[in-house]
Amino acid sequence: MPAIQGFSVHGANSVLGSTRMDNSFVVLPKQKPQGQGTSQGAPPRPRGGVVHADVGHTGKAMEESFVVVDKSESASDGSGAHLPSREGGPNGALHPNNSGFHSTITVLKRAFEIATSQTQVEQPLCLDCMRVLSDKLEKEVEDVTRDIDAYEGCLRRLEGEPQDLLSEADFLKEKLKIEEEERKLEAAIEETEKQNAEVNTELKELDLKSKRFKELEERYWQEFNNFQFQLIAHQEERDAILAKIEVSQAHLELLKRTNVLNDAFPIWHDGEFGTINNFRLGRLPKILVEWDEINAAWGQACLLLHTMCNYFRPKFQSRVKIHPMGSYPRIVDTSNNTYELFGPVNLFWSTRYDKAMTLFLACLKDFAEFANSRDQENNIPPENRFKLPYKIENDKVENYSITQSFNKQENWTKALKYTLCNLKWTLYWFVGSTNFQSLSAMVSSPAEVPSVGSLYAKRGPDSKSIARNSSNT
């Protein structure tokens, strides 16, 4: 490397500094300079950037210049650089006649190419780059020298240490011991590998089980969600059914509290007249009620009494038979004589009509006596047993005759009003004592019939108020 560098700087100056050179030779060394391998770190020099400053002041030609390279070195380098030869051709020797500036540049360029291929550093180098490269190579040389000194010191120290050499028997024992340990370690490795294989197998099985469990869990949650959905749907359906049941029960209670006969045969009063289904029963001199309305009222009264009597048959046997036939009711006595309970009739001579009304009172009285006997059988106290609010004797109700012949219309109308009050009172007892009406739901056994008596006690003043109001008017 120093020779190349010397050639790069001093050789170039010597060649370019002379005005004429007859024969010039640059002999390259056979061996590579020391530190060539470490010169790669130097900064490369661009090609063609060195000769420009020196070439300007020469301006003179070189007739003959030769670069001689040893054949063995060029062959071993394998750089493939073609050197100028004495033979003709493109790479032949430069003839003296071809001297000039161009030939000088060509020789220098060729020499720099050869130097670059040998040193792996771009040639030519400037002075600064050469100093940097030289400093770096010197540092690398120092580092290598220190490493060599350290290795040599270690080698001398090892050579100076005493060496304990084992005998043949001890060596064999140590060898056997190491081999035994090796076999144990190999066995342990095999056992560990088996355990590892078993663990891997178990891990695979656990992975499969984990996948199954995940599938089962997903299926479980899906079924759980479906069950929750069905449960909510069933609960909503149940709530709807319960709501319907509550409505139905309320409706049932309303129906149980509904008095069918009382609703079918409402008995009340309209001034001096007693009414049933809003049909007035009776006549006054100033208020001439039509006979069609009177006949309809008698038909409703006969139908109500006939219904109550038939309910208790065969226990109740009345002496009188009522045949409700709408507005044309008839009544049969014990002798099977039939009497018409409808008009119009003569006010002064109405024997058959009066007989029919009297038989109606007899039937109502018989049913009242039967009701009293039923209360007595049910052990109801005497004060709570059924009795009519207005006493009936033959053809009179509270001393008012029900016959029309030779009777005042006011008295006849009042007797009819009291008759309807007794019929209403009988209806209350019937409702409280039988299963025919809703009140039977409240009276679960015959022993609870006394409550009916209290009902009568409450209804009594209302019934009698009809007669009082009519008498006052």
Side-chain angles (χ1 to χ4, degrees):
M1 189 67 179
I4 296 176
Q5 293 176 352
F7 165 76
S8 299
V9 179
H10 302 290
N13 291 331
S14 62
V15 171
L16 296 177
S18 61
T19 59
R20 183 179 180 82
M21 293 181 63
D22 295 333
N23 292 317
S24 298
F25 299 94
V26 179
V27 181
L28 297 178
K30 295 181 180 181
Q31 297 181 356
K32 292 182 180 181
Q34 186 178 0
Q36 181 180 354
T38 60
S39 63
Q40 297 178 0
R45 181 68 177 176
R47 296 178 180 236
V50 176
V51 191
H52 299 290
D54 296 332
V55 171
H57 72 277
T58 57
K60 301 222 179 148
M62 295 175 61
E63 292 182 355
E64 293 181 358
S65 298
F66 299 95
V67 178
V68 181
V69 181
D70 187 67
K71 293 181 179 181
S72 61
E73 180 180 280
S74 61
S76 62
D77 291 340
S79 60
H82 300 282
L83 301 178
S85 60
R86 302 292 297 178
E87 298 177 358
N91 296 329
L94 296 175
H95 298 283
N97 297 328
N98 294 331
S99 61
F101 177 75
H102 181 70
S103 60
T104 303
I105 296 302
T106 301
V107 172
L108 290 176
K109 182 178 179 181
R110 197 70 187 132
F112 288 141
E113 288 179 357
I114 294 171
T116 300
S117 64
Q118 294 293 327
T119 60
Q120 297 181 359
V121 176
E122 194 71 27
Q123 300 292 339
L125 288 176
C126 66
L127 210 50
D128 294 334
C129 293
M130 183 189 68
R131 292 193 187 97
V132 172
L133 180 60
S134 177
D135 294 339
K136 186 174 181 181
L137 291 176
E138 288 178 357
K139 290 180 181 179
E140 290 180 359
V141 170
E142 292 177 358
D143 294 336
V144 172
T145 304
R146 283 195 297 271
D147 292 339
I148 292 173
D149 295 338
Y151 288 140
E152 290 178 352
C154 291
L155 181 59
R156 287 192 299 271
R157 188 169 58 254
L158 290 174
E159 291 176 354
E161 291 180 356
Q163 297 180 358
D164 297 332
L165 299 177
L166 296 176
S167 61
E168 189 69 21
D170 295 336
F171 176 75
L172 292 175
K173 288 180 181 180
E174 192 70 22
K175 181 181 178 182
L176 293 174
K177 184 178 180 181
I178 293 173
E179 290 177 352
E180 184 66 23
E181 291 180 358
E182 185 179 0
R183 283 193 297 271
K184 290 180 180 180
L185 292 175
E186 289 177 354
I189 291 172
E190 291 178 359
E191 184 67 22
T192 304
E193 290 178 352
K194 290 181 181 178
Q195 293 179 359
N196 188 21
E198 293 176 357
V199 169
N200 290 332
T201 305
E202 292 179 358
L203 184 60
K204 291 180 181 179
E205 294 177 356
L206 291 175
D207 289 337
L208 293 175
K209 290 181 179 180
S210 178
K211 291 180 181 178
R212 289 198 206 100
F213 283 138
K214 287 182 179 178
E215 293 175 357
L216 291 175
E217 185 179 6
E218 291 178 358
R219 191 185 308 167
Y220 165 77
W221 286 115
Q222 186 176 2
E223 293 178 355
F224 177 78
N225 293 333
N226 293 334
F227 175 76
Q228 286 291 109
F229 179 76
Q230 294 177 0
L231 179 62
I232 292 172
H234 288 317
Q235 288 177 349
E236 292 178 353
E237 184 178 359
R238 181 201 63 185
D239 295 339
I241 293 173
L242 290 177
K244 291 181 180 179
I245 290 174
E246 290 179 359
V247 173
S248 301
Q249 286 179 347
H251 193 199
L252 178 61
E253 293 296 327
L254 181 62
L255 292 176
K256 285 181 178 180
R257 292 186 180 92
T258 302
N259 190 338
V260 177
L261 291 180
N262 195 26
D263 291 342
F265 303 99
I267 299 174
W268 197 239
H269 64 90
D270 182 9
E272 296 180 2
F273 296 97
T275 60
I276 179 169
N277 264 332
N278 294 325
F279 295 120
R280 291 174 293 181
L281 189 59
R283 298 187 81 178
L284 293 175
K286 296 181 180 180
I287 304 175
L288 297 177
V289 180
E290 296 292 335
W291 278 104
D292 291 337
E293 185 176 353
I294 296 172
N295 294 338
W298 273 120
Q300 294 290 319
C302 290
L303 179 60
L304 175 58
L305 185 57
H306 175 74
T307 302
M308 292 188 294
C309 291
N310 284 340
Y311 184 83
F312 286 104
R313 286 182 180 177
K315 290 183 180 182
F316 173 69
Q317 296 293 336
S318 176
R319 296 171 298 173
V320 180
K321 294 181 181 179
I322 300 175
H323 297 287
M325 302 172 66
S327 296
Y328 304 96
R330 289 174 173 81
I331 298 178
V332 181
D333 62 2
T334 56
S335 301
N336 290 329
N337 296 321
T338 303
Y339 300 93
E340 296 80 10
L341 190 58
F342 56 88
V345 295
N346 189 353
L347 296 178
F348 298 101
W349 190 257
S350 55
T351 306
R352 295 182 64 82
Y353 188 70
D354 293 341
K355 184 64 176 179
M357 291 187 290
T358 304
L359 291 176
F360 182 85
L361 284 179
C363 183
L364 181 59
K365 183 179 180 180
D366 292 342
F367 189 81
E369 292 175 353
F370 172 77
N372 186 274
S373 64
R374 289 272 299 185
D375 290 345
Q376 187 176 0
E377 291 176 0
N378 294 327
N379 298 323
I380 296 175
E383 63 273 9
N384 293 330
R385 293 174 189 172
F386 177 76
K387 59 181 178 179
L388 294 174
Y390 300 101
K391 187 179 179 180
I392 298 176
E393 291 181 359
N394 297 326
D395 61 345
K396 293 182 179 181
V397 183
E398 283 290 324
N399 298 323
Y400 290 98
S401 178
I402 201 172
T403 60
Q404 190 177 17
S405 301
F406 305 102
N407 193 7
K408 294 181 179 181
Q409 289 184 348
E410 293 84 353
N411 294 335
W412 178 60
T413 302
K414 189 170 289 187
L416 292 177
K417 189 175 184 179
Y418 290 165
T419 301
L420 288 179
C421 289
N422 287 337
L423 184 62
K424 184 175 183 179
W425 200 255
T426 306
L427 175 61
Y428 285 149
W429 177 88
F430 181 81
V431 169
S433 301
T434 63
N435 293 327
F436 193 85
Q437 302 296 340
S438 64
L439 291 179
S440 62
M442 296 183 288
V443 182
S444 59
S445 64
E448 297 179 1
V449 175
S451 61
V452 180
S454 62
L455 180 63
Y456 300 148
K458 295 178 182 178
R459 299 287 184 178
D462 295 336
S463 301
K464 291 185 178 181
S465 65
I466 301 175
R468 292 194 187 98
N469 294 331
S470 62
S471 62
N472 293 332
T473 57

